[in-house]
Amino acid sequence: QSALTQPASVSGSPGQSITISCTGTSSDIGGYNYVSWYRQHPGKAPKLMIYAVTNRPSGLSNRFSGSKSGNTASLTISGLQAEDEADYYCSSYTSSRTWVFGGGTKLTVL
Amino acid sequence: QITLKESGPTLVKPTQTLTLTCTFSGFSLTTSGVGVGWIRQPPGKPLEWLALIYWNADNRYSPSLKSRLTITKDSSKHQVVLTMTNMDPVDTATYYCAHSPYDILNGYYFDYWGQGTLVTVSS
């Protein structure tokens, strides 16, 4: 199974909105509504941000939202804050009954 | 409160077998729909899913590593063990274990992660 495709980097200014894409195939993203997103600060463990394409864990800011169209999922962060600067990873369940992660996107807050 | 913590050697030699233990609290691996997975991250590289075991002992492996991996659980000890054979320097990475709930509506994801343990493969 190949890793999901994410842009290597995105950037935005405080207060702006950014979107990170995650492209897979009909065997993963396109076949299931089981896409999740994780944020990882340097030296820290990943943190769940979105699950089942659009759901936020309890207590997470509504500045984070997820969507999916065909084989591509997206994470949108609105009202960018300095603390949002981190690496973001998407993940999907697959038809092989396994999981696959994306290559990661480094978000820079200018 | 769900917590997980990885433990094991920090240094292994090439060709050796790595054994990592995930000790968890705040949930039971006898509860329907509960799983524990392993994910690794080489320095400066992305996350890579390795294996997962469910409450019913159903286990899944990364196709590219399947021949080298074994995942087991000891529910009474609240532990999940991952073994990886024939270690190579390219296996140098931080290894994470994570709690993975499942239900038909929300599917599969990893909601609680351990702090990770760095394993270096070198002679």
Side-chain angles (χ1 to χ4, degrees):
Chain A
Q1 62 195 23
S2 299
L4 305 174
T5 301
Q6 299 179 232
S9 63
V10 297
S11 62
S13 299
Q16 288 186 331
S17 294
I18 63 94
T19 296
I20 299 171
S21 62
C22 173
T23 301
T25 69
S26 57
S27 295
D28 39 64
I29 292 177
Y32 305 91
N33 287 324
Y34 297 155
V35 177
S36 52
W37 289 88
Y38 304 86
R39 179 172 73 180
Q40 185 180 36
H41 286 117
K44 300 295 186 181
K47 176 184 177 180
L48 177 69
M49 306 302 284
I50 295 287
Y51 65 96
V53 180
T54 61
N55 295 347
R56 284 187 305 276
S58 176
L60 193 70
S61 169
N62 60 8
R63 297 188 300 108
F64 296 86
S65 62
S67 63
K68 189 188 88 166
S69 177
N71 296 337
T72 298
S74 298
L75 172 71
T76 297
I77 308 174
S78 60
L80 268 181
Q81 300 177 359
E83 68 196 48
D84 298 330
E85 184 161 296
D87 293 328
Y88 291 82
Y89 293 93
C90 59
S91 179
S92 176
Y93 184 67
T94 82
S95 59
S96 299
R97 301 169 73 229
T98 59
W99 286 258
V100 62
F101 281 90
T105 298
K106 181 177 179 60
L107 169 61
T108 300
V109 180
L110 302 170
Chain B
Q1 179 188 2
I2 290 177
T3 64
L4 305 98
K5 187 171 185 179
E6 307 86 353
S7 60
T10 58
L11 179 67
V12 298
K13 290 181 167 52
T15 75
Q16 286 186 336
T17 294
L18 170 68
T19 298
L20 294 173
T21 301
C22 177
T23 303
F24 57 85
S25 63
F27 68 95
S28 173
L29 247 185
T30 61
T31 302
S32 178
V34 174
V36 172
W38 286 93
I39 301 100
R40 72 177 178 180
Q41 185 174 36
K45 294 190 175 182
L47 301 169
E48 179 185 18
W49 176 77
L50 300 177
L52 188 141
I53 190 164
Y54 279 114
W55 82 100
N56 59 0
D58 175 20
N59 50 48
R60 319 277 180 87
Y61 296 103
S62 166
S64 62
L65 293 167
K66 185 173 184 176
S67 64
R68 298 173 54 204
L69 296 173
T70 302
I71 189 170
T72 59
K73 66 183 180 73
D74 186 331
S75 300
S76 63
K77 290 184 178 179
H78 295 90
Q79 292 182 331
V80 171
V81 175
L82 180 75
T83 61
M84 180 180 291
T85 61
N86 195 25
M87 293 291 285
D88 182 272
V90 299
D91 296 314
T92 293
T94 296
Y95 287 75
Y96 296 99
C97 63
H99 174 267
S100 181
Y102 167 75
D103 65 71
I104 191 68
L105 182 63
N106 297 307
Y108 307 89
Y109 51 95
F110 301 97
D111 55 355
Y112 294 92
W113 295 61
Q115 63 189 27
T117 184
L118 176 62
V119 178
T120 301
V121 185
S122 175
S123 54

